[in-house]
Amino acid sequence: MRYLTAGESHGPQLTTILEGFPAGMPLLAEDINEGLARRQKGHGRGRRMQIEKDTAEIVSGVRHGQTLGSPIALVVKNNDWKHWTNIMGAEPLKEGQEDEIKRKITRARPGHADLNGAIKYGHRDMRNVLERSSARETTVRVAAGAVAKKLLSLVGVDVVAHVVEIGGVTAKVDSSLSINELKERAELSPVRVADPNVEVEMMAAIDDAKKNGDSIGGIVEVIVTGMPAGIGSYVHYDRKLDAKLAGAIVSINAFKGVEFGIGFEAARKPGSEVHDEIAWNEEMGYYRKTNRLGGFEGGMTTGMPIVVRGVMKPIPTLYKPLMSVDIETKEPFAASVERSDSCAVPAAAVVAEHVIAWELANSLVEQFYSDRFDTFMDEIKRQREYAREF
Ligand code: EPS
């Protein structure tokens, strides 16, 4: 499967085209809108989220609530577009209209795509870069991932994300919580954290950052249950599923690192405390007594829950800007100040959940390919039975 996204942050709409879903899969706009609404939430978001109310329109590939096997096109309109029609219009500017548009952006924001993007594409107005590099694009990545999540839910795979750290405040998550309890707790939290004891402290850290014109980052965790064992591959580097998940996480705006299971902690422990012992019983088939490797061995799923974490740097748009250089004069200047969020970690957790869902759905479609959704589901069922008895 593959998907493309198109759209500028303040353009008329965001679009995504998804290819490769089997025909006959149930799909409703509300399956997608739930994810979009969850992405808009979170303490620390700026004013833009009060302007938008993201909903997806399914404009092709679905008829009477079922996928057709043809490309699925989804559109999310930008409500803010009405304030930007002159600045962002596709038509050439008319005589005298130059005065109507805002100043050119010539002072790159450190940590953003602004300067590198301007050099690469030859843009003298860095708005041409920031409109597309904006995390607004994650809206349609969530829309695409929501269709993937629907496929996963129909074959018994559950994906949930929660926040485990914001601005140095760390959650202690009760490991006996079921995935559903975790999901419920995170959903009720304004910072998407499952540990109620740190919620207030996290919100205070966000408020402090905002008051100081600053921003803070954090760590999100995605947990997946129900993936069959043996998905992915060990035979070639570009078929390793954990590598694809790692790529998906680091492709989210502002994400700088990724780990599975105990992650970087593995560097500090002997092998006997890192690897998971293998066992078998009638009900589960093969399982691991622990899950320190986070659901992967040799680039393939083990059948244990997948546990993947990603680290998000603080958003680089600062109301207290860092120093930069004006590309017109080459003089030192404070970077441009643009409207932004002071912390988007809770929203980014939702994005992480959806980009992981996409990779997992893709891996299943690749391994159990069928043009028809019913036979695709049968194949997965057969695989589970086979793996249990193997
Ligand atoms: C973003 C800047 C802000 C955020 C935006 C990401 O947008 P604006 O420039 O319109 O204030 O609100 O995030 C979204 C619009 C979104 O939907 O998540 C940026 O520069 O990355």
Side-chain angles (χ1 to χ4, degrees):
M1 302 200 301
R2 57 183 180 158
Y3 71 101
L4 278 178
T5 76
E8 278 70 43
S9 180
H10 304 101
Q13 67 180 47
L14 299 153
T15 310
T16 183
I17 300 183
L18 329 178
E19 190 186 60
F21 280 89
M25 183 184 100
L27 183 66
L28 302 173
E30 67 198 49
D31 296 323
I32 302 163
N33 291 339
E34 190 201 334
L36 294 181
R38 288 173 62 229
R39 194 200 69 94
Q40 285 204 266
K41 293 200 291 191
H43 192 72
R45 297 286 258 153
R47 270 181 299 118
R48 177 75 185 271
M49 284 307 100
Q50 289 152 29
I51 299 172
E52 303 298 342
K53 191 169 184 325
D54 295 331
T55 50
E57 194 188 342
I58 304 174
V59 294
S60 74
V62 179
R63 183 167 180 240
H64 302 157
Q66 296 219 322
T67 57
L68 298 174
S70 49
I72 300 170
L74 308 174
V75 166
V76 178
K77 300 272 188 214
N78 286 325
N79 283 340
D80 209 11
W81 160 244
K82 54 181 176 287
H83 307 124
W84 294 79
T85 48
N86 283 342
I87 300 170
M88 290 302 295
E91 292 299 311
L93 290 173
K94 296 191 188 75
E95 193 98 350
Q97 233 185 354
E98 284 87 350
D99 300 339
E100 268 183 53
I101 69 164
K102 279 193 200 153
R103 62 178 168 79
K104 280 207 298 195
I105 296 177
T106 55
R107 297 172 192 173
R109 296 161 301 168
H112 256 285
D114 301 353
L115 181 58
N116 309 323
I119 292 171
K120 178 172 168 63
Y121 290 100
H123 294 310
R124 301 302 302 178
D125 179 356
M126 287 187 277
R127 173 158 302 286
N128 292 343
V129 178
L130 69 87
E131 283 291 333
R132 179 63 185 161
S133 64
S134 164
R136 177 70 185 150
E137 190 256 357
T138 62
T139 309
V140 272
R141 293 197 74 190
V142 167
V147 182
K149 261 187 85 179
K150 177 72 178 187
L151 178 146
L152 294 173
S153 74
L154 293 167
V155 297
V157 178
D158 232 329
V159 191
V160 63
H162 63 121
V163 168
V164 293
E165 196 170 319
I166 286 184
V169 183
T170 310
K172 280 191 195 58
V173 182
D174 176 357
S175 57
S176 68
L177 286 182
S178 72
I179 192 162
N180 279 330
E181 288 165 328
L182 189 76
K183 199 189 284 188
E184 275 165 28
R185 282 205 192 179
E187 210 53 57
L188 290 174
S189 164
V191 277
R192 204 164 280 287
V193 66
D195 173 3
N197 296 324
V198 295
E199 192 173 274
V200 171
E201 214 183 322
M202 283 182 176
M203 291 199 287
I206 295 169
D207 293 341
D208 270 356
K210 187 173 178 180
K211 212 165 52 214
N212 297 330
D214 223 321
S215 61
I216 48 176
I219 299 176
V220 305
E221 180 174 82
V222 184
I223 303 175
V224 184
T225 57
M227 273 298 277
I231 310 303
S233 181
Y234 61 93
V235 306
H236 213 61
Y237 68 91
D238 60 355
R239 295 193 195 151
K240 295 184 184 203
L241 183 55
D242 47 359
K244 290 182 188 176
L245 300 193
I249 291 286
V250 181
S251 76
I252 303 170
N253 309 49
F255 273 65
K256 302 303 284 181
V258 63
E259 61 177 13
F260 294 87
I262 62 167
F264 279 33
E265 197 50 40
R268 295 164 213 128
K269 288 185 183 293
S272 57
E273 290 174 32
V274 170
H275 299 285
D276 304 303
E277 289 188 309
I278 301 174
W280 187 92
N281 70 26
E282 194 70 45
E283 191 204 336
M284 295 198 280
Y286 296 98
Y287 65 95
R288 307 294 185 277
K289 293 183 189 168
T290 50
N291 189 27
R292 296 181 287 224
L293 294 182
F296 281 100
E297 287 168 354
M300 296 162 293
T301 52
T302 60
M304 295 294 287
I306 294 172
V307 182
V308 50
R309 277 182 294 279
V311 55
M312 184 185 194
K313 69 180 180 181
I315 285 174
T317 305
L318 302 175
Y319 285 96
K320 182 173 68 183
L322 295 176
M323 287 307 287
S324 182
V325 170
D326 191 308
I327 60 168
E328 292 302 320
T329 63
K330 309 290 187 288
E331 294 293 321
F333 271 110
S336 289
V337 178
E338 297 287 322
R339 180 180 64 182
S340 189
D341 308 316
S342 39
C343 177
V345 175
V350 178
V351 179
E353 180 181 303
H354 287 78
V355 301
I356 291 293
W358 178 272
E359 295 303 328
L360 297 178
N362 187 25
S363 70
L364 291 174
V365 168
E366 205 170 86
Q367 203 153 323
F368 303 103
Y369 185 76
S370 169
D371 291 322
R372 282 170 36 201
F373 193 65
D374 54 354
T375 46
F376 167 74
M377 283 200 300
D378 288 347
E379 277 305 312
I380 292 178
K381 195 165 159 235
R382 231 193 317 274
Q383 168 75 10
R384 287 189 207 282
E385 283 158 14
Y386 167 81
R388 188 172 55 235
E389 299 307 324
F390 186 80

